[in-house]
Amino acid sequence: MNPNDVAEIRHRLHGVGMRSTIARIRLLYILEHSNAPMSIRDLSEQVEPTVNDRYAIARVLRDLEGFGFCLRIEDVDGVRYTASRRQARLVEDTNVSVSSNIG
């Protein structure tokens, strides 16, 4: 994994209040670099042994989906996941200054 991509994913996860666990970073990285939606089985074949439990993968995907990082796609072939481009565009660094002289 590219260290810059990892840092950027970590920043986006923290931006919505999520902890940046190894499982979240790895799965989101794989989804964002995939050319097609992936099943839990596909993902379990690509992650390293520390995150290859399908139940753990499903739990992480549910968390990522809940915060808009990935999309769940259901069709006749089953359930697949893909990275959400919407979340990647929404999270940006913004510096807002508010005056303390209100009123």
Side-chain angles (χ1 to χ4, degrees), residues 5-24:
D5 289 342
V6 171
E8 191 266 332
I9 289 171
R10 187 177 304 238
H11 177 74
R12 286 189 287 137
L13 291 171
H14 289 169
V16 297
M18 290 182 80
R19 289 185 321 130
S20 57
T21 64
I22 292 169
R24 289 175 179 164

Side-chain angles (χ1 to χ4, degrees), residues 47-65:
V47 295
E48 296 186 21
T50 56
V51 195
N52 68 359
D53 177 4
R54 290 186 187 183
Y55 294 108
I57 291 171
R59 187 178 61 249
V60 171
L61 290 170
R62 188 173 50 247
D63 292 345
L64 292 173
E65 181 185 6

